[in-house]
Amino acid sequence: MRSNDYYSSRNYASRLIGDQLVLYAPLDIAWHDDPLDMLPGVRRWTGDAGAPFKRIAGPREVFIAPQLRRSEDGEIEALHTVSRCDLTAPELTCEATVVLGPEGRTFYVSSEAVYLWTADAWRSWQENARDGVAESSLYRIPLNGSRPQAVLTRGAPMDQFSFREDLEHDLIEVVVFSEGGGDEMWRPEFTDGAPALLRLPLGRFGNGSREAPARDYRFLPDLPGDGESHNRFVGDHLLLSSDAWSYEAGTSTSSVMVVPVAGGRIETFPFAEPVTRLEAIGADALIVSGDDEVAFTTVDLSGRPRLADRYVAQAAGESESRSHGFFYRPDPGSRDGASGTLGLPVNRAVSGRHDYLFSSAADMLFLRREARRLSPLGRLVSQADGAVDDACVASCADWYGNARPIFLRGRVFALLGYELVEGRLEAGGVREIGRVNFAPAPRPGD
């Protein structure tokens, strides 16, 4: 598939929705003899790197917000491409929609549409307000292939977890910040500025010439701190975290704000360590934090938000920052997911290994939640002693992570680098019952 380099510290390029594979890819605008050569295309891989691409979008599938097209200062730097491929077709077929705009972007995929937010990277809300322009646009691209719609906006979201589609109330809800550059590369880690909650009726979408009115935004309090932040919608609440580094103490602390989405009292909880992830755990929320340990703190959202239970894994650290590193499986019939099992990969040092990728190994830590109380179930461990760097042929630990829990039809697995380990939950613990290693053979000369 034709694409420029894609990387995001948080947001993967692909989603699987039913039988459709949905992919996002940026295409930088460049000079070509034929401008159509910039458009998205695919080719069957035959080993010929010079083989031609088959175009999957034409000029009628290219869109731009009218105000951006008219603006003298508007940045048009990239073709933001959303492709939909039918995985059930005898031969893979794909279609694409292209949005022209500045390079800053964040995308979110719901069950019915792709939402693409384009923004002038690092141009502040104050600069836009001074110039009287809305340099951000939010596009809604239906998965059924119908024509996309757009609305002009302000600010920029942090990552895909800044979005939530609420079809029951015909809304798209987005947390935006006054300064940010979307989710390209490591930009989510440097999102800054005043936060606001945009609750946008789907009826606001049109041809992109109208701006979302100020009444659709709800300004939120600033959290103390200048470090890494996270955001997540859980049920009827929004969670926001922010880290603060103390140079005098040499330590990092955090604050987590719990916001009722429809309005109401905001609760703020301090943490003595940095927050590394926010997750949904049934109808409640889970805050994972720690530096030289991994702490799990649940937030009971059944009434007024409160910190409910806490479990700490000593002498450990998270081995994954990606969302797929965590999974919670509620028990069948458990009301609001108050009981269930969770998995999270954690690090341990590997004796005698000091190279960049393999000085530590990921083990899968499992916890049991029973009536909202946490307890340890044990770990499925990796066997990293024989691991070799295969240049990202089968696993790519440095860029894309390589560990995650898998719950499938009553079975429990842990993907740990080049190993897939199966465990069985029994007698209050987890026991390994099978393992397969898919590492390729060492390359000649290794």
Side-chain angles (χ1 to χ4, degrees):
M1 181 167 285
R2 184 181 285 148
S3 173
N4 295 129
D5 185 28
Y6 172 86
Y7 178 77
S8 171
S9 59
R10 299 189 184 183
N11 196 357
Y12 274 114
S14 61
R15 302 289 190 275
L16 187 61
I17 306 295
D19 295 329
Q20 288 192 83
L21 179 63
V22 180
L23 300 120
Y24 167 82
L27 289 166
D28 295 336
I29 293 178
W31 295 102
H32 289 272
D33 293 336
D34 183 353
L36 297 180
D37 288 344
M38 288 189 295
L39 293 175
V42 298
R43 68 183 179 201
R44 181 175 296 277
W45 177 248
T46 62
D48 179 6
F53 283 93
K54 178 182 178 181
R55 194 179 300 128
I56 59 173
R60 292 182 180 274
E61 286 74 50
V62 179
F63 299 88
I64 183 174
Q67 179 165 318
L68 184 59
R69 185 174 59 219
R70 295 191 299 264
S71 173
E72 295 182 0
D73 299 323
E75 295 286 350
I76 302 177
E77 302 167 315
L79 290 83
H80 300 279
T81 302
V82 175
S83 301
R84 303 171 302 279
C85 302
D86 182 3
L87 298 183
T88 63
E91 181 175 342
L92 184 69
T93 58
C94 301
E95 299 176 342
T97 300
V98 178
V99 170
L100 291 171
E103 65 170 350
R105 91 291 182 181
T106 307
F107 76 100
Y108 161 76
V109 183
S110 73
S111 61
E112 297 193 3
V114 179
Y115 292 87
L116 176 65
W117 190 295
T118 64
D120 190 356
W122 308 119
R123 181 181 170 92
S124 73
W125 202 334
Q126 289 83 355
E127 289 177 299
N128 292 338
R130 179 196 63 205
D131 297 340
V133 297
E135 291 290 350
S136 303
S137 297
L138 176 58
Y139 292 83
R140 187 177 192 272
I141 305 171
L143 292 177
N144 62 11
S146 58
R147 186 180 180 86
Q149 294 181 302
V151 61
L152 294 172
T153 50
R154 303 274 178 161
M158 181 187 306
D159 54 30
Q160 72 272 29
F161 296 117
S162 302
F163 294 77
R164 181 176 68 175
E165 185 185 61
D166 182 356
L167 294 179
E168 181 181 354
H169 298 97
D170 288 327
L171 293 171
I172 178 68
E173 297 164 328
V174 192
V175 188
V176 295
F177 298 83
S178 57
E179 298 177 34
D183 59 18
E184 182 183 357
M185 297 300 288
W186 292 275
R187 287 178 177 174
E189 280 68 38
F190 296 95
T191 297
D192 199 3
L197 174 58
L198 171 63
R199 303 190 74 207
L200 184 73
L202 297 183
R204 298 264 194 260
F205 285 92
N207 67 356
S209 62
R210 295 184 301 170
E211 182 178 353
R215 64 179 179 273
D216 289 343
Y217 296 87
R218 174 189 174 191
F219 288 93
L220 302 175
D222 285 338
L223 280 173
D226 54 2
E228 188 172 331
S229 300
H230 297 272
N231 55 187
R232 191 68 177 260
F233 287 94
V234 179
D236 296 327
H237 294 82
L238 164 69
L239 278 73
L240 283 167
S241 73
S242 180
D243 294 347
W245 174 259
S246 170
Y247 290 95
E248 293 79 9
T251 58
S252 181
T253 59
S254 294
S255 298
V256 178
M257 183 165 61
V258 182
V259 181
V261 172
R265 177 172 175 166
I266 296 174
E267 302 287 346
T268 302
F269 302 104
F271 282 77
E273 66 277 346
V275 169
T276 56
R277 67 170 63 234
L278 303 171
E279 299 284 356
I281 182 168
D284 298 328
L286 178 71
I287 300 169
V288 181
S289 59
D291 194 357
D292 54 2
E293 60 186 24
V294 181
F296 301 81
T297 305
T298 58
V299 184
D300 187 342
L301 298 176
S302 60
R304 178 179 171 181
R306 65 179 184 88
L307 301 185
D309 196 22
R310 182 176 172 91
Y311 172 80
V312 179
Q314 302 287 345
E318 279 199 75
S319 70
E320 289 282 357
S321 62
R322 304 277 186 163
S323 59
H324 62 221
F326 171 88
F327 194 80
Y328 178 69
R329 182 184 67 180
D331 289 348
S334 173
R335 183 179 179 183
D336 298 333
S339 297
T341 305
L342 66 85
L344 182 76
V346 296
N347 282 333
R348 62 176 168 85
V350 177
S351 176
R353 297 298 294 264
H354 303 288
D355 50 322
Y356 171 61
L357 293 181
F358 300 105
S359 60
S360 65
D363 294 342
M364 192 61 61
L365 172 67
F366 291 94
L367 298 183
R368 175 68 187 162
R369 190 186 193 212
E370 192 70 42
R372 289 194 163 89
R373 303 290 296 180
L374 298 174
S375 60
L377 285 173
R379 302 185 183 192
L380 294 177
V381 302
S382 60
Q383 297 175 351
D385 292 342
V388 296
D389 181 4
D390 72 332
C392 294
V393 172
S395 184
C396 208
D398 56 342
W399 288 103
Y400 298 109
N402 63 348
R404 67 204 69 179
I406 302 169
F407 297 90
L408 177 65
R409 299 175 184 171
R411 299 168 72 180
V412 178
F413 299 89
L415 177 64
L416 302 171
Y418 300 90
E419 301 172 293
L420 186 64
V421 185
E422 183 172 5
R424 178 174 293 158
L425 301 176
E426 55 185 25
V430 60
R431 177 176 65 87
E432 179 183 331
I433 61 172
R435 179 184 299 258
V436 62
N437 189 308
F438 56 90
R443 295 169 296 178
D446 286 350

